[in-house]
Amino acid sequence: MRSAIESLRRSPVFDGVTDEAIALIGASVESVPLLGGSVLFREGDEGDAAYLVFSGRLRVDRAGPGGPILLRQLERGDLVGEFALLAGVPRTATVTAMRDCELGRLPRARFDAVLAAHPEVAVGVSRHLARLLAAAASPTGVGTRHPGVIVLRGAVPEVDVLAAAGELTAELGRAGTVTLVDHRREVEVLGPDAFADRVDGEAALAVARWLQQLELDHAHVICVTDEAHPRWSAACLRQADLILDLLPAACVAEDPPKVTTAFDTCRQELLVLHPPDRPRVHGTARWFARRPYGRCHHIRRGHAGDWARLARHLTSRSVGLALGGGGARGLAHLGLLRALEELDIPVDEIGGTSIGGVIAAQYASGMSVDEMVARHREDWARFHPHRAYTLPLLGMVRVSAAEAMMRHQFGSLDFEDCWLPGFTCSANLSTGARTFHRHGSVADACLATMSIPGLGPPYVMRDGSLHVDGAVVDNLPVAGLTASMTIAANVSALDWRASGYPRTPSPWRVLWDRWHLRRQPAPYFPSLVETVLSSILLAGARSAEEARQLSDLHLDVPAGEIDLFAWDRLDTAMAIGHRHALEHLAPWWAARHPTSPR
């Protein structure tokens, strides 16, 4: 009774309601436990009661053509199920417990009696429904809350979860309050017989109340599961906002064992623990194929910077970088990356289109800027993928040269094995939409985003879909980033030039002028390759405004003096990118972060 009245007083639904009405409602509700993953009621069910959330969290879904659509989440103090009682209609949505919950059930007869005796309660409920309707009209942010309860468990047996949890707790503690709990602490607080002397529902609610109070007092609660205590582990998993599965790098090649949670609505991410020297791993994608991971984090033992990157992700402080396409002008991105490192600005996620996609993939794979510079200096001169001319039946150049270059750089590397989350963007001719390649072969993703229509044939991905240069649909793919802060670097500002001829010349005339006027500039007229690439960049420019609006910092790198295929001007392009980045990044970062991270 006392718990019910306290919850009612905290609820915005009953704000302004008299003490007499609060007491009546408190005496009318029936306490109902609901374990995480359980369904309270389903869309279409008959409405027989309203429910007040005393503790826990629930989700409200409505059936959609592609599956359930999340409408909102319910927390302590929220009311649910009242619409069916007021309107006399079946349930309009399905409500599922995201955590172990304690609810107050108010049957229809008692609900009607409370409204009749206390009209101010009806006013509060009406305001509540109005707020829900307003939220439904603009559902931005539904389900985007920060993970308050983070559960760490071993992806394979005998993982030292507690040690990793300690490092994560220490790093999260730099940004806010955090507490670490395990079975030992649960026993200290709730007693050794927390589960043994009561039924599962009662024991689960005791743990749930304790963890909820910890969450009210801390920004994050880190829970460590324990193989020796499965009931404690199950209770933790039912409270989780995020589950981090810890996988030693040495076990990546193993067959993923089947692991289930109490329900499948919780975010799950994979954390691969590497030794300090971080050898390359292969096969992480197999774990994604077996489990519903949304992201992978590669962490070296004892490296605070790696834990700091994870902490930024968990506290919505991560930095994402989008790199645009633009032929050889994209080499300016190498100067930008060097400037970011000099300014100690972290890059937690990176993606790009065309040459920007290749550079993003290189950086995500763990290459240093110096190594990337060496690769571009050597490989463009060695493979000449833009000049591998062939019989123009499918394209002017053969794909084999570009493929040899990408395989040389990335081998069989998958995005899941990359050090940072990365992606490339391509135009999918099989679906008519842009595609963000985040999984699978890095080389394939780079070949897809670099396939210039007309110059080369569409690139066939392993699912049979046809892809061409992403600049056709999105030359600066900020929309693909999931980081909290985003930086966008555009290098494709087109240099609009008029023809040096009074009318369209014949190819023989252009060749003659270029041959006989070698000591002075010949009249300008674009080559076929320049025309194709400029047309692609022009088509992709339609998405430029979207990129500008989505990015926190938009850089227009002045690389127009670099010809689109002047790969030998790497040093000049780098210098332009480096200078421009230092000029604009330093004040932007200083305004947001007076003290730079490690």
Side-chain angles (χ1 to χ4, degrees):
M1 173 71 173
R2 180 179 178 184
S3 173
I5 291 177
E6 290 176 352
S7 297
L8 288 166
R9 292 190 186 282
R10 286 193 296 264
S11 172
V13 179
F14 302 100
D15 185 31
V17 175
T18 64
D19 291 342
E20 180 184 356
I22 291 289
L24 175 60
I25 298 171
S28 301
V29 296
E30 306 165 356
S31 179
V32 177
L34 188 69
L35 295 183
S38 301
V39 175
L40 178 62
F41 53 74
R42 298 185 183 276
E43 185 175 353
D45 288 351
E46 180 184 356
D48 58 353
Y51 296 86
L52 181 68
V53 183
F54 292 159
S55 66
R57 184 178 303 139
L58 303 99
R59 58 180 289 143
V60 182
D61 297 293
R62 182 170 293 162
I69 300 173
L70 174 63
L71 301 180
R72 61 186 181 276
Q73 293 183 9
L74 305 172
E75 298 187 340
R76 185 171 62 170
D78 283 331
L79 183 68
V80 63
E82 75 288 357
F83 182 78
L85 300 188
L86 290 171
V89 297
R91 301 294 191 187
T92 58
T94 298
V95 177
T96 308
M98 300 178 67
R99 293 181 171 183
D100 292 345
C101 300
E102 184 177 8
L103 308 176
R105 184 176 185 272
L106 192 61
R108 178 189 293 274
R110 297 180 188 178
F111 182 78
D112 292 342
V114 168
L115 295 185
H118 297 276
E120 70 271 23
V121 175
V123 173
V125 172
S126 298
R127 290 173 179 167
H128 168 66
L129 291 173
R131 286 193 294 267
L132 294 181
L133 290 173
S138 57
T140 303
V142 171
T144 58
R145 72 186 308 277
H146 301 169
V149 177
I150 302 169
V151 175
L152 273 65
R153 69 176 177 184
V156 294
E158 300 181 357
V159 179
D160 189 356
V161 180
L162 193 58
E167 295 202 62
L168 178 58
T169 300
E171 193 56 52
L172 285 173
R174 301 178 188 277
T177 56
V178 60
T179 186
L180 173 63
V181 296
D182 59 1
H183 178 258
R184 181 180 300 178
R185 186 172 171 192
E186 180 249 348
V187 169
E188 292 175 354
V189 175
L190 300 179
D193 299 323
F195 285 102
D197 64 350
R198 46 184 123 179
V199 298
D200 279 351
E202 294 175 348
L205 283 181
V207 175
R209 293 190 193 106
W210 174 51
L211 292 178
Q212 179 168 284
Q213 187 57 51
L214 290 175
E215 189 178 5
L216 291 174
D217 298 334
H218 301 84
H220 297 282
V221 179
I222 308 296
C223 297
V224 177
T225 63
D226 191 328
E227 295 176 26
H229 302 281
R231 297 176 75 183
W232 156 251
S233 298
C236 289
L237 292 171
R238 291 196 304 270
Q239 300 305 113
D241 294 316
L242 170 67
I243 299 171
L244 288 177
D245 277 355
L246 275 60
L247 177 66
C251 299
V252 168
E254 296 182 5
D255 288 331
K258 183 175 178 59
V259 172
T260 59
T261 58
F263 50 104
D264 59 3
T265 59
C266 180
R267 283 171 52 194
Q268 297 182 52
E269 298 178 356
L270 182 64
L271 198 160
V272 182
L273 294 171
H274 297 258
D277 55 354
R278 193 202 64 172
R280 172 70 68 194
V281 299
H282 292 282
T284 314
R286 295 169 59 250
W287 290 77
F288 278 73
R290 293 284 295 274
R291 298 185 185 179
Y293 295 128
R295 184 180 290 258
C296 181
H297 308 275
H298 292 277
I299 305 290
R300 289 168 293 183
R301 291 279 193 182
H303 282 247
D306 295 345
W307 291 105
R309 182 174 66 251
L310 175 58
R312 287 191 295 272
H313 166 67
L314 298 176
T315 56
S316 299
R317 296 180 297 118
S318 57
V319 179
L321 178 62
L323 305 178
R329 296 169 185 172
L331 297 175
H333 294 317
L334 299 170
L336 164 63
L337 289 169
R338 177 153 285 165
L340 285 164
E341 291 184 352
E342 291 173 357
L343 295 170
D344 202 20
I345 300 176
V347 176
D348 302 309
E349 180 187 21
I350 188 167
T353 293
S354 197
I355 182 62
V358 174
I359 291 176
Q362 289 175 328
Y363 199 73
S365 73
M367 291 187 195
S368 68
V369 175
D370 287 340
E371 185 179 358
M372 294 164 65
V373 171
R375 292 290 182 96
H376 284 282
R377 195 184 305 280
E378 297 168 6
D379 287 1
W380 287 104
R382 173 183 175 185
F383 293 97
H384 299 292
H386 58 299
R387 295 209 299 257
Y389 298 113
T390 186
L391 188 65
L393 294 176
L394 304 178
M396 292 181 59
V397 299
R398 60 184 184 274
V399 72
S400 57
E403 188 164 5
M405 180 173 166
M406 293 299 102
R407 303 295 178 201
H408 173 69
Q409 293 197 10
F410 300 109
S412 60
L413 181 69
D414 290 330
F415 274 112
E416 290 86 349
D417 297 321
C418 284
W419 197 240
L420 295 177
F423 66 88
T424 72
C425 175
S426 71
N428 190 330
L429 299 183
S430 299
T431 63
R434 66 184 172 190
T435 296
F436 298 120
H437 303 273
R438 307 178 190 275
H439 303 284
S441 168
V442 175
D444 283 348
C446 289
L447 288 164
T449 194
M450 288 279 286
S451 182
I452 301 174
L455 183 60
Y459 189 73
V460 182
M461 297 295 286
R462 298 182 184 184
D463 62 357
S465 58
L466 298 168
H467 295 256
V468 296
D469 196 316
V472 172
V473 289
D474 191 350
N475 194 44
L476 189 53
V478 185
L481 295 172
T482 61
S484 304
M485 289 182 290
T486 56
I487 303 170
N490 175 38
V491 295
S492 65
L494 295 175
D495 184 15
W496 302 108
R497 298 175 63 183
S499 171
Y501 295 92
R503 57 186 302 175
T504 303
S506 69
W508 303 111
R509 175 61 186 274
V510 173
L511 284 174
W512 176 270
D513 289 343
R514 291 179 181 176
W515 176 261
H516 287 275
L517 299 176
R518 285 177 292 176
R519 296 185 178 180
Q520 56 182 310
Y524 171 74
F525 200 81
S527 67
L528 173 60
V529 172
E530 288 178 308
T531 300
V532 169
L533 192 53
S534 295
S535 299
I536 292 170
L537 294 177
L538 181 59
R542 289 178 297 178
S543 62
E545 185 57 32
E546 178 191 29
R548 192 176 296 275
Q549 292 178 357
L550 291 176
S551 57
D552 294 289
L553 177 64
H554 189 281
L555 301 174
D556 285 308
V557 182
E561 69 180 75
I562 308 295
D563 289 338
L564 293 173
F565 287 90
W567 302 106
D568 58 336
R569 298 197 64 190
L570 184 151
D571 292 329
T572 302
M574 274 195 68
I576 292 172
H578 183 260
R579 182 171 57 251
H580 186 81
L582 287 178
E583 179 182 352
H584 293 84
L585 280 171
W588 174 79
W589 187 251
R592 288 159 177 75
H593 300 268
T595 302
S596 296
R598 287 188 308 278

